[in-house]
Amino acid sequence: MNCKKAAVLIEKKLDHPKNLSLYERLYLKIHLLMCALCTSFFQKSAIISRALKKGYSQKETHDLDSQEKQAILDAVLRKT
Amino acid sequence: MLNKGTEETNKQITQWVNEFSDELFAFAYSRVSDRDLAKDLVQDTFFSALKAIDSFQRKSTPKTWLYKILKNKIIDYYRSSFYKKTIKAKSIQPPEDNRIQTPLLSKWNNVEDSLQSQEFFTQFNSCIEKLNEKQRTVFTMKYLDDLESEEICKKLQITTSNYWVIVHRAKLKLKECLDKHWFTDNQKWLKKTKK
């Protein structure tokens, strides 16, 4: 059993359970039963996915100030 | 129809810059995380718009049209930065045997409180900042743009196996960063307050 292979399967499964074939699902299930490290990573990775989802949805917005806007405009019009 | 280089087109571009540059900038900034680069991308967008203004048939709104140009500029940028370094799919790291140093999962199990706290996300964002550009790009496309993994691979012209390796390595890095800076420090801090 191979942790490298399991790691990729874990990410695929967390992205969408349907990403795994029947064989892959079984492989991962058996591996997780035997491997405490991958089981722990699986749970932590799931938490990180949730944090990413939430973190990106509350990203702050940024504005340009009027000088920066003018600079963009000048640069664009100068090129013509 | 508008013609290039006339008073009229210049007036039109000026109006668009005033009206849309803020939101185009915010869109670009949230994706490239670099003010100067985001400004360049917006400037480039208006420049391309001015060059192609003859072909703008007003089938779509100017805003939609400008966003389309900007999105293409961002993808071009992503691709060019992806091509600088080739990704080796083989060099995936399995989870390390670091049972002693890293906090037990039980601390991670009480993560609900963390996910509600602003401090957690301040720390989490600084962990994201430490990722490399490839990794951040993939997360931005996935979690900000809500793209499916296949679409991301297509846009970045990478194979799916590369994609999963990038995702896995990025998450491993985030996990280590959180282990180090949140789950340990946070626990120490809790102990201190209890005394």
Side-chain angles (χ1 to χ4, degrees):
Chain A
M1 283 281 177
N2 181 338
C3 291
K4 288 182 190 179
K5 201 172 163 186
V8 168
L9 295 181
I10 286 171
E11 304 303 350
K12 277 188 172 180
K13 187 181 162 82
L14 288 174
D15 181 79
H16 204 294
K18 279 188 184 162
N19 284 342
L20 297 190
S21 66
L22 184 64
Y23 170 75
E24 287 173 322
R25 256 181 292 170
L26 279 171
Y27 183 99
L28 182 61
K29 206 164 195 173
I30 294 167
H31 183 87
L32 290 179
L33 281 172
M34 296 177 353
C35 179
L37 276 172
C38 285
T39 305
S40 154
F41 178 76
F42 181 38
Q43 284 161 313
K44 290 183 179 182
S45 187
I47 291 164
I48 289 168
S49 289
R50 281 179 58 201
L52 281 165
K53 225 173 257 175
K54 197 168 173 196
Y56 273 97
S57 69
Q58 58 189 27
K59 267 207 165 192
E60 52 198 307
T61 54
H62 295 267
D63 280 338
L64 290 168
D65 61 40
S66 55
Q67 270 182 341
E68 288 173 315
K69 249 186 238 180
Q70 192 58 46
I72 287 175
L73 189 57
D74 289 346
V76 171
L77 295 180
R78 212 184 308 129
K79 279 186 187 168
T80 53
Chain B
M1 203 199 269
L2 295 160
N3 288 312
K4 240 186 268 185
T6 62
E7 193 94 335
E8 199 187 333
T9 49
N10 285 357
K11 232 167 111 185
Q12 181 66 80
I13 286 287
T14 310
Q15 191 204 327
W16 286 349
V17 170
N18 287 328
E19 206 169 325
F20 304 121
S21 59
D22 271 334
E23 49 179 309
L24 291 171
F25 174 75
F27 183 86
Y29 184 86
S30 62
R31 276 148 188 86
V32 299
S33 307
D34 181 305
R35 253 194 106 81
D36 289 330
L37 181 60
K39 267 198 286 187
D40 282 348
L41 288 168
V42 172
Q43 187 177 309
D44 245 23
T45 300
F46 284 115
F47 183 60
S48 296
L50 187 59
K51 267 203 305 194
I53 206 158
D54 292 344
S55 64
F56 175 54
Q57 304 282 339
R58 298 194 175 275
K59 276 178 200 156
S60 57
T61 64
K63 188 171 147 178
T64 313
W65 188 56
L66 290 168
Y67 264 103
K68 209 170 139 196
I69 300 173
L70 176 61
K71 280 179 186 168
N72 284 331
K73 301 261 174 224
I74 293 172
I75 300 247
D76 286 345
Y77 166 74
Y78 281 162
R79 269 186 202 159
S80 69
S81 68
F82 256 76
Y83 273 118
K84 276 183 214 151
K85 287 177 205 152
T86 45
I87 306 143
K88 290 197 182 98
K90 281 177 190 162
S91 52
I92 186 164
Q93 298 288 323
E96 283 168 37
D97 191 352
N98 45 6
R99 267 167 281 200
I100 302 143
Q101 302 96 318
T102 66
L104 297 166
L105 186 63
S106 62
K107 285 181 190 169
W108 279 75
N109 280 343
N110 301 324
V111 82
E112 294 307 323
D113 293 338
S114 293
L115 286 174
Q116 298 302 326
S117 88
Q118 200 48 55
E119 293 99 83
F120 172 79
F121 281 101
T122 310
Q123 179 57 55
F124 190 63
N125 284 336
S126 83
C127 289
I128 292 176
E129 293 296 314
K130 284 184 203 150
L131 297 176
N132 68 36
E133 204 174 349
K134 271 184 312 226
Q135 296 168 328
R136 267 183 285 137
T137 301
V138 165
F139 281 156
T140 306
M141 293 182 120
K142 170 126 192 65
Y143 293 102
L144 201 64
D145 295 339
D146 282 325
L147 294 179
E148 298 290 334
S149 44
E150 297 88 53
E151 288 174 277
I152 299 174
C153 292
K154 224 192 260 168
K155 287 205 157 134
L156 298 173
Q157 298 179 327
I158 54 174
T159 62
T160 48
S161 56
N162 263 342
Y163 172 81
W164 294 115
V165 171
I166 295 169
V167 169
H168 176 64
R169 281 211 220 134
K171 281 181 149 182
L172 212 52
K173 237 166 136 183
L174 287 178
K175 178 194 90 76
E176 279 161 14
C177 182
L178 288 175
D179 272 341
K180 206 167 152 195
H181 298 291
W182 179 257
F183 290 103
T184 49
D185 293 354
N186 196 32
Q187 293 298 315
K188 270 183 220 149
W189 179 78
L190 276 176
K191 270 179 207 156
K192 259 184 220 165
T193 50
K194 270 179 193 164
K195 273 179 191 170

